[in-house]
Amino acid sequence: MLAEQRHAYVLERLSAEGAVRVTDVVAGLGVSDGTVRRDLELLEQQGLLTRVRGGAVPVASAAVPAAASGAAAASSLLGVPPPMLAAHGGA
C-alpha cells in the first residue's frame, strides 16, 4: 500500500471518529505499527494532526489547555475516564 493511501485512510478515520489509535490503523491496513507511527509523525509535521500516546487527534483538539489535553486525549482514545488514568499513572 502506498504512503498516500495510508495517509488518506488515517485522515479519513480521524475525521469520522475524532481520534485514531495506532492499533486500529495497523489492523485496518495490515501494516506494521512502526509504519503507522512514522506516518503519524509525518502527518503531524505537515500540521494535519496531533500525535498523542497511542494514536492521534485532530489539530483542533490541540487547542485544549495543555494541562487538560493529555488526559482528555488519552481518555478519548482509550475510553477511560481521566480520573482513572491519573489513578493508574496515565496522562
Side-chain angles (χ1 to χ4, degrees), residues 1-17:
M1 172 172 279
L2 297 174
E4 292 82 13
Q5 293 171 314
R6 295 192 311 269
H7 298 171
Y9 177 86
V10 168
L11 294 172
E12 180 183 313
R13 300 281 21 108
L14 191 59
S15 176
E17 299 173 16

Side-chain angles (χ1 to χ4, degrees), residues 2-59:
L2 297 174
E4 292 82 13
Q5 293 171 314
R6 295 192 311 269
H7 298 171
Y9 177 86
V10 168
L11 294 172
E12 180 183 313
R13 300 281 21 108
L14 191 59
S15 176
E17 299 173 16
V20 294
R21 285 194 263 182
V22 170
T23 55
D24 293 340
V25 178
V26 166
L29 297 178
V31 297
S32 73
D33 62 341
T35 296
V36 173
R37 291 178 202 284
R38 285 188 297 275
D39 287 345
L40 294 181
E41 183 176 355
L42 179 65
L43 292 169
E44 182 178 49
Q45 289 172 356
Q46 294 174 350
L48 299 173
L49 55 77
T50 300
R51 289 184 301 151
V52 295
R53 185 179 187 127
V57 295
V59 174

